[in-house]
């Protein structure tokens, strides 16, 4: 099946397919000079080995690769190339790379040199371990001083680095097969990347406690090496490469059940007029809640609140106000002023999510926490200023910040945070893989806050605010850019599939409300210019949000997929009956056998188009 890439991804810029490298049972995909999906005997050992260079805002350089050479035989492969990063003020970083793979060993070497010096936040290797089947599993860590420690990969998400001063880490891939990953040339440490919804544990070069950005000196080579050593004592001589895509994926009903969350839509002052003009579409979606964004530090005031009041009147559903409290004076004074403005605007939301503005910025390990009033004082002030309104707290940024600065929830009616899938990487595979991390995030929140009512969002593919730098990244050509404030995939069917996959992955969390979009603008459901949908029309994501809004409060039942990285599903039951909802998370057609779920058309086998979503009625 051939589908226009513009319809799928919102851009005609197509990712270059990776080159499959093989040496006996060892396989890896070469993409943009780095290694992805490193497998042994068909099982993923490492998610990636990458040599990355970050700028002062933690943006990732896209180096120009030259002199690429690839040699392969049955039991060996070799790759060599030269990469160049163009920095500010005509600075350059030249990197010579050599990758050698054998049946039981993989070596990735790099030498970087800056002719006139080079500023960076990080330059060197990042090694990603997968999380599914690895979280909570045993590992052995060798430290730079030679000490060897038996430990576990974190299960509940660690806010800080679980392992520091690393030289090597070893874990069991499958029974009888161990993988040692050894890093040379600097001191490495690991962070739990599930904090950012990345589906990996990341071992990276240069401890975060050291200053950044830093200057690489001129004409001084920096050499690093990462080696993966496989120790196979299983006695198996069988070579079973990774299963080829295209096999039939089976769905079966599971035992877990729950209630579908309410659906929210966020509206900012900048998009308020456009949202009001689209009131007919808002009525068609009928979200249970409108989430209004209010930031006095950005100049929001009475006029913004008046626009919110007008939209809330049209909506006639619940509304919530998220407040980025400036904290330039005492919280009681600031919340009282906001309450006064709300009264002038005749705007009274059903709930308020309040958080200090400064808490939107991340505080990495080794950094000084910024000045901020005690959160109990903020919540006490909110209670006094907004009597009779539910008060929520948490973070207007991501789970990362909530995990590192755990809010006192005694005065709160609910906790909330957002997620974003393009913090560290923005390729299609990495973005979809972030869905794997969501159950770990929600389970970690529940481990901290118990059964406290829990909300997530707004969580969108584009990034609305960058906690890790001074700005989000502009994306005028519609590329796949980490930390970008616009992402073309939000406009295509990719976003429709991503949103339904997101919901399925967080069903177990028993969320009170989930917000996955705005109504208009770069995070919205209404198309702009130069998109697959005509301007003013409905982006594909509209369909998913409308469907989920209609399912709010319905009973859900899990549906187990034989390949959850490719196809996810669940059953929803409400007054309209029971329907099986299925989503293809891949850019290729997939065959699905859903006969075990008892669709009305018994034994039906589906062919799902790329990023397709469908709903089938089930037999009584």
């Amino acid at each position: 099946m051939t589908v226009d890439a513009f319809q799928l991804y919102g851009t005609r810029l197509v990712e270059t397919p990776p080159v499959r490298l093989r040496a006996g049972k060892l396989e890896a995909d070469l993409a943009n000079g780095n290694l992805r999906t490193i497998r042994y005997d068909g099982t993923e050992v490492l998610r990636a080995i990458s040599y990355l260079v970050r700028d002062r805002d933690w943006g990732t350089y896209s180096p120009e690769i030259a002199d690429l050479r690839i040699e392969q035989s049955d039991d060996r492969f070799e790759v060599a190339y030269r990469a160049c990063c163009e920095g500010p003020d005509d600075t350059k970083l030249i990197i010579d790379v050599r990758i050698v793979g054998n049946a039981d060993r993989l070596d990735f070497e790099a030498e970087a040199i800056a002719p006139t010096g080079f500023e960076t936040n990080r330059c060197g290797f990042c090694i990603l371990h997968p999380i599914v089947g690895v979280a909570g599993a045993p590992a052995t860590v060798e430290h730079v001083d030679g000490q060897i420690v038996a430990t576990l990969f974190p299960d509940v998400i660690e806010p800080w680095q679980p392992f520091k001063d690393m030289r090597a880490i070893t874990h069991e891939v499958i029974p009888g097969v161990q993988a040692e990953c050894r890093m040379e040339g600097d001191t490495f440490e690991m962070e739990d990347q599930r904090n950012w919804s990345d589906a990996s544990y990341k071992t990276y070069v240069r401890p975060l406690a050291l200053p950044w950005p830093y200057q690489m000196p001129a004409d001084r080579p920096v050499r690093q090496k990462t080696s993966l050593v496989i120790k196979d004592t299983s006695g198996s001589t069988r070579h079973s490469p990774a299963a080829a895509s295209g096999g039939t994926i089976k769905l079966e009903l599971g035992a877990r059940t729950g209630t579908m969350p309410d659906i929210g839509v966020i509206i900012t002052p900048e998009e308020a007029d456009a949202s009001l003009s689209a009131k007919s579409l808002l009525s068609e979606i009928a979200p249970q809640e409108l989430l209004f964004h209010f930031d006095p530090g950005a100049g929001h005031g009475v006029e913004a609140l008046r626009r919110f009041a007008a939209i809330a009147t049209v909506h006639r559903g619940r509304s919530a106000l998220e407040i980025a409290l400036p904290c330039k004076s005492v919280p009681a004074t600031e919340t009282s002023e906001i309450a006064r403005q709300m009264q002038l605007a005749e705007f009274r939301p059903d709930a308020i999510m309040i958080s200090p503005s400064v808490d939107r910025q991340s505080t990495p390990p080794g950094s000084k926490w910024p000045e901020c009033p005690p959160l109990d004082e903020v919540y006490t002030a909110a209670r006094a200023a907004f009597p009779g309104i539910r008060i929520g707290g948490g973070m207007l940024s991501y789970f990362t910040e909530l995990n590192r600065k755990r809010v006192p929830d005694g005065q709160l009616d609910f906790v909330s945070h957002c997620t974003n899938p393009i913090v560290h990487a923005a390729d299609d595979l990495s973005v979809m893989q972030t869905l794997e991390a969501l159950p770990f995030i929600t389970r970690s929140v529940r481990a901290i806050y118990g059964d406290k009512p829990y909300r997530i969002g707004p969580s969108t593919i584009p990034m609305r605010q960058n906690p890790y730098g001074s700005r989000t990244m502009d994306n005028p050509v519609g590329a796949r850019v980490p930390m970008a404030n616009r992402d073309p995939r939000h406009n295509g069917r990719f976003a429709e599939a991503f949103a339904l996959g997101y919901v399925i992955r967080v069903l177990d969390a028993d969320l009170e409300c989930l917000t996955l979009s705005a109504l208009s603008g770069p995070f919205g459901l209404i198309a702009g210019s130069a998109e697959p949908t005509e301007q003013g029309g409905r982006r594909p994501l509209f369909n998913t949000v409308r469907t989920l809004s209609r399912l709010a409060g319905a009973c859900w039942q899990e549906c187990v997929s034989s390949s959850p990285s490719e196809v996810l599903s669940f059953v929803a039951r409400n007054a309209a009956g029971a329907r099986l909802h299925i989503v293809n998370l891949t850019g290729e057609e997939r065959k699905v056998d859903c006969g075990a779920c008892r669709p009305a058309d018994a034994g039906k086998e589906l062919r799902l188009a790329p990023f397709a979503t469908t709903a089938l009625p089930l037999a009584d």
Side-chain angles (χ1 to χ4, degrees):
M1 176 182 291
T2 302
V3 183
D4 181 11
F6 192 48
Q7 299 291 326
L8 297 180
Y9 302 102
T11 177
R12 291 188 170 88
L13 298 175
V14 179
E15 290 184 327
T16 302
V19 176
R20 180 66 50 86
L21 305 171
R22 292 189 178 92
K25 296 182 181 182
L26 188 68
E27 296 181 335
D29 290 341
L30 178 69
N32 299 318
N34 294 314
L35 298 179
R36 297 290 304 267
T37 319
I38 302 163
R39 298 170 297 275
Y40 181 79
D41 204 15
T43 299
E44 187 177 32
V45 179
L46 295 176
R47 186 134 282 184
I49 303 177
S50 303
Y51 190 92
L52 301 178
V53 185
R54 305 279 198 183
D55 66 21
R56 66 180 302 113
D57 289 309
W58 292 103
T60 305
Y61 282 98
S62 297
E64 180 180 338
I65 294 177
D67 302 327
L68 176 64
R69 177 175 57 85
I70 302 174
E71 298 178 0
Q72 292 210 62
S73 61
D74 289 343
D75 57 359
R76 189 179 188 276
F77 59 79
E78 183 172 343
V79 177
Y81 64 85
R82 171 169 286 193
C84 178
C85 295
E86 301 276 356
D89 303 321
D90 295 323
T91 58
K92 289 185 179 181
L93 186 68
I94 309 298
I95 309 156
D96 284 302
V97 169
R98 182 170 180 259
I99 303 170
V100 177
N102 295 290
D104 59 357
R105 185 182 180 97
L106 175 64
D107 292 300
F108 193 151
E109 301 176 77
E111 178 181 285
I113 189 165
T116 60
F118 195 85
E119 182 189 71
T120 181
N121 276 4
R122 177 179 295 156
C123 177
F125 281 111
C126 286
I127 301 101
L128 306 183
H129 283 78
I131 57 175
V132 175
V134 177
T140 302
V141 174
E142 179 182 331
H143 295 283
V144 293
D145 62 1
Q147 183 183 15
I148 297 175
V149 177
T151 183
L152 301 172
F153 283 97
D155 184 16
V156 173
I157 300 174
E158 288 281 352
W160 312 108
Q161 302 97 318
F163 311 133
K164 295 183 178 181
D165 301 325
M166 297 171 65
R167 180 61 64 228
I169 182 168
T170 304
H171 77 289
E172 186 175 68
V173 178
I174 53 177
V177 177
Q178 288 196 327
E180 178 192 76
C181 188
R182 182 165 294 275
M183 297 78 66
E184 302 172 28
D186 208 323
T187 298
F188 288 72
E189 62 189 22
M190 177 184 284
E191 67 187 11
D192 196 334
Q193 263 202 145
R194 297 175 299 173
N195 273 294
W196 295 269
S197 75
D198 294 72
S200 57
Y201 302 98
K202 180 171 73 177
T203 302
Y204 56 91
V205 73
R206 188 176 169 90
L208 273 174
L210 296 176
W212 46 266
Y214 63 97
Q215 191 76 13
M216 298 179 66
D219 285 326
R220 184 182 301 174
V222 176
R223 300 180 180 90
Q224 294 179 23
K225 180 179 180 181
T226 296
S227 299
L228 174 66
V229 180
I230 302 294
K231 300 175 182 178
D232 188 346
T233 59
S234 65
S236 172
T237 58
R238 174 180 62 90
H239 174 30
S240 55
S245 61
T248 300
I249 296 168
K250 295 185 177 181
L251 305 179
E252 296 182 354
L253 291 176
R256 295 179 298 174
T257 60
T259 302
M260 296 292 295
D262 287 348
I263 297 299
V265 169
I266 188 166
I267 296 175
T268 66
E270 295 76 14
E271 293 294 332
D273 289 342
S275 297
L276 191 57
S277 298
K279 59 185 179 183
S280 62
L281 292 181
L282 183 61
S283 297
E284 183 178 347
I285 300 166
Q288 284 66 49
E289 185 161 287
L290 296 182
L291 176 62
F292 295 102
H293 176 69
F294 189 74
D295 181 1
H300 302 164
V302 176
E303 285 306 313
L305 294 169
R306 286 198 175 104
R307 289 185 174 91
F308 293 166
I311 298 169
T313 300
V314 170
H315 173 55
R316 299 185 184 279
R318 294 197 316 272
S319 62
L321 184 70
E322 63 167 23
I323 299 174
L325 197 67
C327 295
K328 301 299 184 184
S329 61
V330 296
T333 300
E334 293 184 343
T335 53
S336 294
E337 172 58 19
I338 295 172
R340 185 189 71 83
Q341 294 178 10
M342 288 168 55
Q343 188 173 18
L344 287 174
E346 297 183 352
F347 177 59
R348 181 178 172 83
D350 299 282
I352 285 176
M353 160 62 190
I354 191 166
S355 180
S357 179
V358 70
D359 278 350
R360 290 180 291 182
Q361 291 301 121
S362 179
T363 302
S367 301
K368 181 182 178 182
W369 287 88
E371 293 296 324
C372 182
L375 291 179
D376 273 328
E377 183 180 342
V378 172
Y379 303 149
T380 297
R383 285 282 180 202
F386 313 116
I389 298 177
R390 298 181 73 217
I391 302 297
M395 292 293 159
L396 299 177
S397 52
Y398 309 130
F399 170 73
T400 324
E401 287 67 56
L402 181 64
N403 201 20
R404 289 177 171 176
K405 186 176 182 178
R406 300 181 179 183
V407 303
D409 65 328
Q411 299 185 66
L412 298 179
D413 295 304
F414 60 89
V415 294
S416 181
H417 66 83
C418 311
T419 67
N420 182 264
I422 59 170
V423 173
H424 293 114
D427 60 278
D428 297 332
L429 178 60
S430 294
V431 172
M432 276 300 182
Q433 284 179 335
T434 64
L435 298 177
E436 294 179 7
L438 295 177
F440 293 97
I441 288 176
T442 57
R443 188 156 51 85
S444 296
V445 170
R446 286 299 183 201
I448 301 168
Y449 297 106
D451 60 359
K452 177 73 66 175
Y454 175 22
R455 301 179 175 204
I456 293 180
S459 295
T460 59
I461 297 176
M463 177 180 274
R464 66 168 179 164
Q465 184 260 340
N466 181 3
Y468 317 108
S470 61
R471 60 186 177 90
T472 55
M473 305 302 161
D474 293 329
N475 189 10
V477 299
R480 294 161 172 85
V481 178
M483 299 187 182
N485 47 36
R486 290 177 180 267
D487 191 290
R489 290 164 296 193
H490 180 84
N491 310 327
R493 280 167 47 185
F494 186 102
E496 182 180 15
F498 180 83
L500 188 57
Y502 195 113
V503 171
I504 295 170
R505 287 295 197 180
V506 300
L507 284 177
D508 268 346
D510 191 26
L511 295 179
E512 181 176 270
C513 189
L514 175 62
T515 300
L516 295 172
S517 73
L519 183 61
S520 60
F523 307 96
L525 306 176
I526 301 170
S529 60
E531 293 188 16
T533 303
E534 71 280 0
Q535 187 166 356
R538 306 170 185 184
R539 288 171 172 147
L541 180 58
F542 183 100
N543 303 322
T544 294
V545 174
R546 179 181 56 188
T547 295
L548 293 171
S549 181
R550 293 175 178 177
L551 290 177
C555 296
W556 64 264
Q557 180 178 358
E558 76 167 325
C559 194
V560 180
S561 169
S562 63
S563 183
S565 64
E566 298 178 294
V567 172
L568 290 174
S569 64
F570 71 101
V571 171
R573 292 181 172 86
N574 57 16
R579 297 179 76 83
L580 174 66
H581 294 263
I582 313 172
V583 57
N584 178 3
L585 302 176
T586 77
E588 305 290 337
E589 182 183 86
R590 288 291 178 261
K591 292 184 290 184
V592 180
D593 179 0
C594 54
C597 296
R598 297 183 291 108
D601 184 3
K604 188 171 184 179
E605 182 173 288
L606 302 177
R607 288 185 177 271
L608 284 182
F611 303 124
T613 65
T614 191
L616 304 176
L618 297 188
D620 294 334

